[in-house]
């Protein structure tokens, strides 16, 4: 039987395959597992900065409303298990081990194809989607993009909502050397007829995102650009959460969403 340390060591051993943009390997592995991502009610969070804080705010809002929330984040701070958390608590060592035992044969099967080896991030992403899609379902899964968006491993989901926090110059060797090119990659998480929330302030990259939204025939897009405003949102779980700047939009959206569809699960 595999131990937790052996499981984590095996995951980390895939680091040697580096970063390989593309979702073909993800599609193959998830199909082998019965496409568990189709069972998740997800929110996809991309952008250059602010992804982690936006995810945290949305998680606390949803928890306060009485919903169960899964999260997929990177990197971890103290424990590897933080990458996959349920209601703010990392999943257990035993759960990590069992996920690796499930996913490892699929990764080996992938090797025999022309798609090549799975990367570390792809494996962790598959583990997360299998966990929340097949093992321990929750009401909502908040998924943080790893790199870019269009070709990111997480971009196999069909979310309830896409979020693009900010656009800045990051990973230019993969995403491009202009804000417009970077915005194009990050706008790749926008799906047809799915609402989008953006916190992008610059006109040029914002226009790239708006064009993507229009081409996809989306029903709505929220521009919440707050420069000099603070808001205190009262929540029993955290008493008071004070939010500044662009991240305020996630709170506003949560309030709009709660009033419009009452956050009812199906």
């Amino acid at each position: 039987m595999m131990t937790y340390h052996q499981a984590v060591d095996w995951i980390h051993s895939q680091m040697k395959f580096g970063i390989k943009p593309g979702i073909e390997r993800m599609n193959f592995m998830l199909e082998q597992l019965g496409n568990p991502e189709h069972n998740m009610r997800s929110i996809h969070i991309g952008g250059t900065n602010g992804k982690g804080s936006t995810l945290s705010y949305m998680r606390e809002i949803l928890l306060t409303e009485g919903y169960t929330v899964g999260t997929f984040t990177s990197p971890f701070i103290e424990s590897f298990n933080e990458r996959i958390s349920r209601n703010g608590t990392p999943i257990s060592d035993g759960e990590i081990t069992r996920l690796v035992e499930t996913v490892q044969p699929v990764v080996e099967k992938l090797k025999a194809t022309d798609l090549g080896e799975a990367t570390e991030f792809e494996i962790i992403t598959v583990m997360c989607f299998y966990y929340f899609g097949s093992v321990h379902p929750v009401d909502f899964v908040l998924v943080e993009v790893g790199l870019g968006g269009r070709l990111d491993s997480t971009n196999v989901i069909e979310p309830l909502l896409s979020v693009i926090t900010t656009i800045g110059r990051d990973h230019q060797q993969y995403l491009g050397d202009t804000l417009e090119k970077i915005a194009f990659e990050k706008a790749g998480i926008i799906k047809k007829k799915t609402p989008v929330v953006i916190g992008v302030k610059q006109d040029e990259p914002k226009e790239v995102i708006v064009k993507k939204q229009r081409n996809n025939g989306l029903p709505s897009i929220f521009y919440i650009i707050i420069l000099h405003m603070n808001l205190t949102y009262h929540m029993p779980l955290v008493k008071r959460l004070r939010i500044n700047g662009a991240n305020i939009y996630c709170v506003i959206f949560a309030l709009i969403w709660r009033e419009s569809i009452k956050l009812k699960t199906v």
Side-chain angles (χ1 to χ4, degrees):
M1 178 180 289
M2 181 180 291
T3 67
Y4 168 75
H5 293 293
Q6 288 172 333
V8 174
D9 286 346
W10 176 76
I11 294 171
H12 291 329
S13 72
Q14 302 298 114
M15 288 181 66
K16 62 188 176 186
F17 299 112
I19 298 172
K20 298 193 292 186
I23 60 174
E24 296 85 0
R25 291 175 299 278
M26 287 294 301
N27 284 329
F28 176 89
M29 290 187 286
L30 289 168
E31 183 177 355
Q32 298 297 310
L33 294 168
N35 290 112
E37 75 280 10
H38 294 168
N39 301 327
M40 302 188 319
R41 292 165 55 86
S42 59
I43 298 173
H44 209 183
I45 305 170
T48 302
N49 295 309
K51 295 189 295 292
S53 56
T54 297
L55 182 146
S56 296
Y57 296 150
M58 296 188 81
R59 180 190 65 220
E60 295 306 322
I61 291 168
L62 290 168
L63 287 174
T64 299
E65 293 296 324
Y67 293 93
T68 55
V69 184
T71 55
F72 179 62
T73 58
S74 60
F76 64 86
I77 298 175
E78 295 182 359
S79 165
F80 174 82
N81 302 26
E82 295 169 18
R83 302 288 297 273
I84 306 171
S85 295
R86 186 175 67 251
N87 295 335
T89 301
I91 65 174
S92 69
D93 293 356
E95 288 173 311
I96 290 287
T97 303
R98 288 189 290 275
L99 286 172
V100 168
E101 289 174 338
T102 299
V103 169
Q104 192 175 43
V106 175
V107 174
E108 293 300 318
K109 186 178 293 187
L110 177 66
K111 288 182 182 180
T113 72
D114 295 332
L115 297 174
E117 298 273 3
T119 67
E120 179 190 38
F121 188 76
E122 288 171 339
I123 290 171
I124 301 169
T125 307
V126 170
M127 289 168 56
C128 172
F129 293 171
Y130 182 76
Y131 182 76
F132 290 122
S134 297
V135 178
H136 204 300
V138 291
D139 294 324
F140 297 95
V141 182
L142 309 183
V143 179
E144 182 181 334
V145 171
L147 188 154
R150 183 173 66 92
L151 299 177
D152 186 69
S153 302
T154 63
N155 202 29
V156 294
I157 57 177
E158 294 293 333
L160 301 172
L161 166 72
S162 297
V163 178
I164 301 174
T165 56
T166 60
I167 298 295
R169 298 182 186 276
D170 65 327
H171 303 290
Q172 294 183 61
Q173 67 273 38
Y174 298 106
L175 307 182
D177 56 2
T178 68
L179 292 180
E180 291 86 348
K181 291 178 181 177
I182 294 170
F184 175 80
E185 294 298 327
K186 294 185 185 294
I189 67 171
I190 297 175
K191 301 298 193 303
K192 289 185 180 298
K193 299 183 179 180
T194 300
V196 183
V197 178
I198 66 172
V200 179
K201 299 178 182 180
Q202 310 100 312
D203 290 336
E204 293 80 6
K206 184 166 64 176
E207 183 55 36
V208 172
I209 297 170
V210 172
K211 182 178 179 181
K212 173 75 172 181
Q213 175 259 340
R214 288 172 180 160
N215 291 342
N216 277 2
L218 299 184
S220 55
I221 185 166
F222 300 91
Y223 305 101
I224 310 297
I225 309 301
I226 307 298
L227 298 178
H228 304 292
M229 183 181 293
N230 295 326
L231 176 142
T232 301
Y233 181 58
H234 293 267
M235 298 186 293
L237 185 64
V238 293
K239 295 184 179 178
R240 290 197 310 172
L241 179 63
R242 194 161 186 81
I243 302 167
N244 299 288
N247 286 319
I248 195 172
Y249 68 78
C250 74
V251 176
I252 294 176
F253 172 78
L255 297 175
I256 293 172
W257 196 17
R258 181 175 61 180
E259 290 303 313
S260 62
I261 67 172
K262 303 300 182 184
L263 286 175
K264 296 294 185 183
T265 57
V266 294

